[in-house]
Amino acid sequence: MDVFRLIAIGIIGAIACLLLKKTDGQYAALAAVATGIVILIICIKALASVLVSLQEIVDRTGMDSELFAVLLKIVGIGYLTEYACGLCDDLDCGGISKKIALGGKIAIFLTALPIVNALIDTVAKLV
């Protein structure tokens, strides 16, 4: 991932938002959303190679692929929640941002239950 390109897009988007906020606030919000989407697309492309590397690690270690999938879901929920909260904060909707964060935490907790069950099973086998 080219960090300099990511930073440049972010700075250009921020400048566009500042300039548009002075003339018409509605377009500033659209510029913030568009900039965020472009940055998200760049980050998702970069994550593809990371997922391949992580899958190789899972194959070499013999880790249960279902547990690995759960871990990836948890990380994905965390990143998407953080992105949505940041977008809401950019649009001056702090209350909505907090509610999304709460929902993300609950989703992570529910998604992590299979890992907790596997841990309990492992401890029970050891005892």
Side-chain angles (χ1 to χ4, degrees), residues 24-58:
D24 192 358
Q26 294 174 345
Y27 293 118
L30 290 175
V33 171
T35 303
I37 289 172
V38 171
I39 290 172
L40 184 64
I41 290 170
I42 292 170
C43 291
I44 288 173
K45 286 182 181 179
L47 282 176
S49 62
V50 172
L51 291 177
V52 171
S53 298
L54 289 175
Q55 186 60 46
E56 290 174 3
I57 291 170
V58 168

Side-chain angles (χ1 to χ4, degrees), residues 119-127:
L119 181 63
I120 291 171
D121 290 343
T122 303
V123 170
K125 289 177 186 175
L126 292 174
V127 174

Side-chain angles (χ1 to χ4, degrees):
M1 178 168 65
D2 186 11
V3 175
F4 295 111
R5 181 173 55 147
L6 192 70
I7 291 169
I9 290 170
I11 290 172
I12 291 169
I15 291 170
C17 288
L18 286 174
L19 293 174
L20 290 171
K21 197 177 280 187
K22 292 179 182 177
T23 59
D24 192 358
Q26 294 174 345
Y27 293 118
L30 290 175
V33 171
T35 303
I37 289 172
V38 171
I39 290 172
L40 184 64
I41 290 170
I42 292 170
C43 291
I44 288 173
K45 286 182 181 179
L47 282 176
S49 62
V50 172
L51 291 177
V52 171
S53 298
L54 289 175
Q55 186 60 46
E56 290 174 3
I57 291 170
V58 168
D59 292 340
R60 281 188 285 159
T61 60
M63 180 180 170
D64 186 9
S65 61
E66 290 179 22
L67 291 178
F68 177 69
V70 170
L71 286 174
L72 285 180
K73 286 178 188 178
I74 290 170
V75 171
I77 291 169
Y79 282 142
L80 289 175
T81 301
E82 180 68 25
Y83 177 80
C85 289
L87 187 59
C88 288
D89 288 338
D90 289 344
L91 299 175
D92 293 329
C93 297
I96 294 173
S97 174
K98 290 178 183 177
K99 290 167 184 66
I100 291 173
L102 175 64
K105 290 172 187 174
I106 291 170
I108 287 171
F109 177 72
L110 293 174
T111 306
L113 286 177
I115 294 174
V116 172
N117 287 333
L119 181 63
I120 291 171
D121 290 343
T122 303
V123 170
K125 289 177 186 175
L126 292 174
V127 174

